[in-house]
Amino acid sequence: MSDEADFGHSDVDTEFGRDLLASVREALAHKRGEIELPYRVYETMPATRVKEIRRKVAKSPKEFERRFHIPARTLEGWEQGRRAPDVAARVLLTVIEKDPEAVERALS
Amino acid sequence: MSDEADFGHSDVDTEFGRDLLASVREALAHKRGEIELPYRVYETMPATRVKEIRRKVAKSPKEFERRFHIPARTLEGWEQGRRAPDVAARVLLTVIEKDPEAVERALS
DNA sequence: GAGGCGAATACGTCATTGACGCATTCTACT
DNA sequence: AGTAGAATGCGTCAATGACGTATTCGCCTC
């Protein structure tokens, strides 16, 4: 493999880098039999994905906060790639995307 | 009020202490008009509540992990009061309690 | 009853995140 | 143009997420 991607120097500390590392860890864990993966939300979620989901259900972070109780500032951190949502947040975002009404109903 | 509870010394750093502080902060914020609370999940969630919810939908933390993708170790931290679930986690737990199937559906 | 096995509980640890303050920019709307 | 509300960006720090490891707790089977 001589035509592999050029990773530059400290690219591990980038979104792509984290995704890559996460994938490797996951693959190794799986190989070790530590994980019985049926399907999981353990991958990291890119900032673009977060914004995509938010836009799907709310015009602005503020509106999103009103509907789903997630602080707008926190959401913004995710959307801007400053922070990466943790597992619980990723699961919640997934649920919100696929069935926003169910979430609102639970919070009403 | 001479018969108030005996708080001991550093009780602020206890579950009760945190609940209390959270309530006070919330009350002040509300008074200041910073919050338009329709209903929120901003309160902290007691360990007992987490365990209650988990039991409602899963026999064990492990099973809960399989169904909802929340690491059993993390859940245990919440159930044992070592850690307090953050807002996103609290919202998710709330949704799981009221409509576990919707969550599973979204994760399938 | 002894031994074994998966799960639960408990404790220590550390990189990361959650959430805030503050400053700046970008929208509408009047 | 001027103002108000929202979004973006950046720095900060207490607190969490998640793991390793050790101990205890059923539950089953020999």
Side-chain angles (χ1 to χ4, degrees):
Chain A
M1 292 193 189
S2 55
D3 57 346
E4 52 190 294
D6 172 22
F7 287 142
H9 41 85
S10 57
D11 279 326
V12 159
D13 194 23
T14 63
E15 189 175 315
F16 176 70
R18 270 171 306 198
D19 278 354
L20 190 58
L21 277 183
S23 292
V24 172
R25 280 194 217 96
E26 193 164 307
L28 291 177
H30 183 213
K31 191 173 184 183
R32 272 183 259 120
E34 289 174 7
I35 303 179
E36 2 58 325
L37 72 172
Y39 168 89
R40 294 171 310 106
V41 189
Y42 276 45
E43 323 90 35
T44 66
M45 182 179 279
T48 54
R49 196 79 232 307
V50 177
K51 181 168 282 192
E52 189 182 323
I53 295 175
R54 193 265 297 163
R55 282 186 172 144
K56 227 168 167 173
V57 298
K59 186 167 315 204
S60 70
K62 272 289 178 191
E63 187 194 328
F64 192 91
E65 170 174 337
R66 284 186 217 107
R67 299 182 56 190
F68 306 107
H69 304 187
I70 300 299
R73 302 306 307 279
T74 299
L75 218 202
E76 286 170 6
W78 298 338
E79 291 194 0
Q80 293 167 27
R82 285 163 47 68
R83 292 283 131 68
D86 57 46
V87 197
R90 292 202 295 278
V91 171
L92 178 60
L93 286 171
T94 301
V95 180
I96 288 178
E97 178 179 30
K98 304 214 177 159
D99 195 348
E101 320 228 323
V103 177
E104 286 196 288
R105 223 178 298 130
L107 295 177
S108 66
Chain B
M1 292 191 198
S2 56
D3 58 347
E4 50 191 296
D6 173 21
F7 288 143
H9 42 83
S10 57
D11 278 326
V12 159
D13 195 24
T14 63
E15 189 177 317
F16 175 70
R18 270 171 306 197
D19 279 354
L20 189 58
L21 277 184
S23 293
V24 172
R25 280 194 219 97
E26 195 166 307
L28 290 178
H30 184 213
K31 191 173 183 184
R32 272 184 260 119
E34 288 173 7
I35 302 178
E36 2 57 327
L37 72 173
Y39 168 88
R40 294 172 310 106
V41 189
Y42 275 43
E43 323 90 34
T44 65
M45 183 177 279
T48 54
R49 195 80 232 304
V50 176
K51 181 167 283 190
E52 188 183 322
I53 294 176
R54 192 264 297 163
R55 280 185 175 144
K56 225 168 167 176
V57 298
K59 187 168 317 208
S60 69
K62 274 288 179 195
E63 188 194 327
F64 192 90
E65 169 173 338
R66 284 184 219 107
R67 299 182 57 191
F68 305 107
H69 304 185
I70 299 299
R73 303 304 308 278
T74 299
L75 217 201
E76 285 170 7
W78 298 338
E79 290 194 0
Q80 293 168 28
R82 287 164 45 69
R83 290 284 130 69
D86 57 45
V87 196
R90 292 201 296 277
V91 170
L92 179 60
L93 287 171
T94 302
V95 179
I96 288 177
E97 179 180 30
K98 303 214 176 161
D99 195 348
E101 319 227 323
V103 178
E104 285 195 288
R105 224 177 298 128
L107 295 177
S108 66

